[in-house]
Amino acid sequence: MSSAYDEALGVTPDGAAWLASAGTYPRSTLALWEERPQAPVVLPCGAVFDVVSAPAMFGRAMLDRLWGDGPGSGPVAAFRGRTLLFAAPGTAQRLPTLLEWEEWSAEGRRDGRAATVPPLLCHGTGDAVTVPALVPSDPGCGARWVVAPDTRHPWLPGPEILLWAAVRAARSAVRISISPPPDQDAKVYDVSRRR
């Protein structure tokens, strides 16, 4: 079964206009892309979008949850071993607080349960991110669109939806046992041959 986000081909003109609108000089960004569509660009976060950056495998698990059990995602990019989930403005400020409140932060719970959500980097007001080129260039470059922007007003998930996806991804990666951990000093006897 093929997912809607398996391999994005590139950004549409409307998607490029949306991305460029985040910058100080949108027309200059569009002109650069018209001349060099294989050029990645650094864009500011906070006004048009925030970005939540997760380790690649965990980000992919979050994306699987968003598309498999949830509402889908906004634009998503892969860059230098990380998954960049484009989110609604304000998400970068709120998501870390929600993770901490729900006890799913990188520190984990105080009762000894290991942390299962890896550190998520939240980029908002005052931050900038490198976005992949509009069209795929070298397949080995490491920067590519997973879900390319395709409209001037894409739907962007907020902090609550990304919290839901992170918790679901963490739960799917953890095997839960109701048995207590084995006592390493216990003597174990083989009783399978006993009559």
Side-chain angles (χ1 to χ4, degrees), residues 67-140:
W67 283 102
D69 303 327
S73 72
V76 178
F79 184 70
R80 293 189 177 170
R82 303 211 42 106
T83 300
L84 308 178
L85 297 123
F86 285 68
T91 299
Q93 181 180 4
R94 182 103 171 97
L95 183 59
T97 304
L98 289 175
L99 284 165
E100 187 66 36
W101 184 71
E102 290 282 343
E103 298 179 332
W104 285 92
S105 68
E107 282 105 38
R109 291 175 50 166
R110 307 289 183 253
D111 65 4
R113 182 167 82 187
T116 53
V117 174
L120 302 176
L121 305 177
C122 297
H123 304 285
T125 303
D127 297 326
V129 295
T130 301
V131 299
L134 298 183
V135 295
S137 56
D138 178 18

Side-chain angles (χ1 to χ4, degrees), residues 4-109:
Y5 60 87
D6 280 342
E7 289 296 328
L9 296 176
V11 179
T12 66
D14 283 345
W18 172 74
L19 281 170
S21 73
T24 306
Y25 304 104
R27 289 190 309 205
S28 296
T29 302
L30 289 171
L32 168 70
W33 276 334
E34 190 171 314
E35 191 176 306
R36 296 183 52 218
Q38 290 87 8
V41 174
V42 176
L43 293 174
C45 299
V48 174
F49 55 77
D50 282 0
V51 172
V52 175
S53 173
M57 295 303 292
F58 189 78
R60 185 63 184 218
M62 286 178 66
L63 201 52
D64 286 344
R65 296 283 59 83
L66 286 167
W67 283 102
D69 303 327
S73 72
V76 178
F79 184 70
R80 293 189 177 170
R82 303 211 42 106
T83 300
L84 308 178
L85 297 123
F86 285 68
T91 299
Q93 181 180 4
R94 182 103 171 97
L95 183 59
T97 304
L98 289 175
L99 284 165
E100 187 66 36
W101 184 71
E102 290 282 343
E103 298 179 332
W104 285 92
S105 68
E107 282 105 38
R109 291 175 50 166

